[in-house]
Amino acid sequence: RLDDGMLVSARTDALRALDFDEALRRAEACVAAGCDMLFMEGLNDPHQIADVARRFAGTPTIHLMVEGGATPFTTPAEAQ
């Protein structure tokens, strides 16, 4: 990084295009490469959400919930 004030947010859409295991592999690669936060598009199962929260507990994650979207609505406590 050339600027310490820069925030790197990594995103993977592999869940919809491929599968959950590939999305996890890509997310892990992003974290290993030094991303500051992570967004996995299309999490649609509470077990997936919990798995991502556990696996990436040290990395802030974006949990996007929109009306009519794939991700079920959860409370902040449930998302952690």
Side-chain angles (χ1 to χ4, degrees):
R1 265 177 230 204
L2 300 176
D3 182 347
D4 289 339
M6 181 177 182
L7 178 88
V8 177
S9 177
R11 172 183 174 141
T12 178
D13 291 89
L15 178 61
R16 291 212 177 229
L18 300 167
D19 60 30
F20 186 58
D21 289 335
E22 181 61 18
L24 289 173
R25 188 190 71 70
R26 291 178 185 208
E28 288 167 352
C30 291
V31 171
C35 75
D36 297 303
M37 60 191 320
L38 183 61
F39 175 43
M40 292 181 65
E41 170 63 32
L43 293 172
N44 58 10
D45 178 290
H47 294 90
Q48 292 174 341
I49 295 167
D51 193 13
V52 168
R54 273 191 306 278
R55 287 176 186 250
F56 302 103
T59 303
T61 56
I62 299 169
H63 188 69
L64 180 64
M65 299 175 291
V66 296
E67 190 171 330
T71 303
F73 283 91
T74 57
T75 67
E78 291 169 331
Q80 291 181 357

